[in-house]
Structures are given as structure tokens and as C-alpha cells.
Amino acid sequence: MLTVEPDSLESFARATIEASGATPEIAETVARSLVSSDLVGHSSHGVVRLPYYADQIAAGTVDPTAMPSIEQTGLFHQIDGSGAFGQVTGRRAVELLLETTNEHGVGVVGIRNSGHLGRIGEWADRIADEGLLFSSWVNLQGGAQRIAPPGTADRRLGTNPITFAVPTFDALDFNLLYDGATSQVAHGKIIERDGSGETLPPAWTITESGEPVEYAADFEDQVGALLPLGGTESGHKGFGLAIMAELFASLVGDGPVSTKESQDWAGNGAAFLAIDPSVFTTREAISIRVEALIEYLRSAEPIADDGEVILPGEPEHRTARERRDQGIPIEDAVADNLETVATDRDVEDALPPAFR
Ligand code: NAD
């Protein structure tokens, strides 16, 4: 395992993406997003994706120079990703939401044909950092089907994340952020275990026999499916949420839904919503209420000796603080893949010092 200093990892990611044909500005946007995922502990959405992006560019599913196109109807915007990197589309969506919400109190942006939007919490945090509420519903545009309807082991839906963020002003030093897949785990957590030899936690997946999938490599070979959030006991809840995310994203973004004919390409469609809470209440009131709620929640007595009440967004906040200080851990298998991409793109000199 290597430990890499965040800035040097970002420079490397930027050099690799630029060497794949992106403009310096686009390369910087994508690199910053990837490393921000590594920083908050979602390595599944970090630089581990660089080899996939290189493949997508080679296959023509991502155009490294493309910019999304935007249509406006009154207060509302729709973005067509037009083959651009999802991070470029995500950033544009945030800019449009901020402009509209700051002026009118509410903003809605629909997205279709986006490249992979990555960790949706990144976009949520950017909105909440400006004192606004955020929610989103994201689908995989019919591709990357991995969730099985309860009682089956057939892949029918993407891992469709649902995300909420609430600014906390003086109550906490991070935004409350719920950002999760509607499956038991994001698919990236399976990708991360591919090649590691570790068995998958049994609560994540299901096969036709009712048994879980044992290894990530089998799952990647189309064995079984991810269980919806709630697993074998309460999967109807995650399934319902996944369907709603599928349709909100499709109907607001005007993009496709999962069908038998869907192409297996993992871009995103989305509905992003922002609300200015100061239309309804004051910043002071928000801070007081959040503080009161948090204090009450944290007063619950943990059962385990080392137990504690952790808030949504807190694991990411803690990990980012630690990794900014101590560096980002990179698994050996990921480091090997990054070295291969660096060689293929002729940017070995940009590899972080920890690789030498
Ligand atoms: P997760 O299970 O790691 O976290 C889900 C939420 O739970 C987060 O808000 C986190 O802060 C919170 N949380 C985690 N541990 C906690 C604890 N102990 N106590 C309290 N709260 C806790 O997330 P996931 O479902 O594995 O998804 C990971 C990432 O994958 C997300 O950022 C999501 O946006 C991304 N994703 C993206 C796509 C896409 O197509 N772009 C698809 C699926 C998931």
C-alpha cells in the first residue's frame, strides 16, 4: 500500500487526463473531482477510475474535449452531457443551480447523456457550502443494470444514488450529507475488491440459488445481482427508492430508463434540486435547530464501549481531515494500474514521488 500526498496525486491525474486528449481546464476539473473522492474516503470514485476513463475515451463513449449543452425553460435548465466528462457536466449543473437559486429561491436542473457524475456528494456539498439545501435523484440511463427486484436475482436497475445536503452554518463544521446508492453498496465497492481475493460481504448480493455472490470477479462476470438497500429483509424500501430515482432522473432529465434494450454504458441521468432555506427561515434558526437536533441525537447512549453516534457526512469529513494531513492510501493493485496508464500515456514523470 502506498500513501500519496493529495496535490501530487491530483497533478498526476491531471497529466494523465490531459495526455488522453482533454484540454488543461477539463483535465483539472476531472482530476480535482477524482482526488476529492479519494480524500473523503470514497476511493471507489477516485483515481481508481483513471484506467476506465482512458478506456471510455478510446471507445469513444467520452469525448475529452466536449462541453455539455444547455437548454433553458423559464427558471429551469436541462443539460445534455453531449459526451463530455461527467465532472464537467456536474460542475456546470452546480453553477446553474447556484445562479438560479440565489436569484429565485429554487433551482431545478435535469441532466441526460452525462458521463459518470462520480460521487454525487461532491455536487451536494458545493451547493450546501453556499447555504442552500440540495437533493438529487440519479440513474444510470438504463445501463449498468445491477440491482435485482426483491425476491429475484435478475439485474434490472442501476445503483441509482439519492442524495441530500443541508448546510449547518455554525452548528457543525461540515454539511449534513446523505449520499448513498439505493443498492446495499455502490458498485464501486465491489470493483475495489476485484482481484483482492477477499470474499464479498454476504449481505450485498444474491444469486439464483438464493446464496450471495462470493467473489467480486464473479459479480463482474455477471453472476448474481446487488440486493436493493434493505437487503433480503427490507429490500422493498431500496427497490422503491431506486425506481423513484430512475424515474425522477429520467423525467426531469428527459433521458432513458432501464429496459431490456438498454445499452450497458455507465453514464448518468439526473434531477438536481436546490432550495434557498432563507426564503422560509433565517440562518440563525437553521443553526439553532440543527444544533438542537444533533445534541439530542448524540445524547443517545451507545451500546458498545467504543460506540458513538455518527452523522451523515461525518465519516467523509473526518477522513478528508485525516488524509489531507497524512496522505491518501492507494492499494497496490490500483497503484499497478495507475503505473500502466502512466506508461501508456507517456506521463511516467508525473507519477507522484511515492511511486518512485
Ligand atoms: P455509503 O454507504 O458509504 O454512505 C452512504 C451515506 O451514509 C453517506 O452519506 C455517509 O456519510 C453515511 N454514512 C456512512 N457511514 C455512516 C455511519 N457509520 N453513520 C452515519 N452515517 C454514515 O455510500 P454508498 O451507497 O456506498 O455510495 C458511495 C458513493 O457512490 C456515493 O458518493 C454515491 O454518490 C456514489 N454513487 C455514484 C453513482 C453514480 O452513478 N454516479 C452510483 C451509485 C453510487
Side-chain angles (χ1 to χ4, degrees), residues 30 62 73 84 99 108 137 143 146 169 180 192 195 211 217 261 277 292 303 314 326 335:
V30 179
V62 169
T73 313
E99 274 166 32
V108 179
W137 303 272
R146 319 226 190 265
F169 304 115
E192 273 183 322
E211 296 298 315
E261 286 74 35
I303 293 163
E314 195 161 20
Q326 295 165 22

Side-chain angles (χ1 to χ4, degrees), residues 42 45 116-121 138 140 159 161 163 177-181 185-186 189 268 310-316:
H42 289 289
H45 289 69
H116 187 233
L117 288 165
R119 186 180 81 92
I120 308 302
V138 171
L140 281 292
T159 50
T163 304
L177 170 68
Y178 177 79
D179 174 34
V185 287
K189 305 241 160 89
N268 286 128
I310 299 171
L311 301 167
E314 195 161 20
E316 289 79 4

Side-chain angles (χ1 to χ4, degrees), residues 37 40-42 44-45 49 115-123 136 138-140 144 158-164 175-189 204 229 266-269 308-317:
S37 283
V40 297
H42 289 289
S44 55
H45 289 69
R49 301 265 171 176
H116 187 233
L117 288 165
R119 186 180 81 92
I120 308 302
E122 177 184 0
W123 318 117
S136 67
V138 171
N139 72 14
L140 281 292
T159 50
N160 297 359
I162 294 183
T163 304
F164 297 89
N175 301 312
L176 286 172
L177 170 68
Y178 177 79
D179 174 34
T182 46
S183 42
Q184 288 282 66
V185 287
H187 175 229
K189 305 241 160 89
W204 288 7
L229 188 64
N268 286 128
E308 61 173 325
V309 174
I310 299 171
L311 301 167
E314 195 161 20
E316 289 79 4
H317 171 70

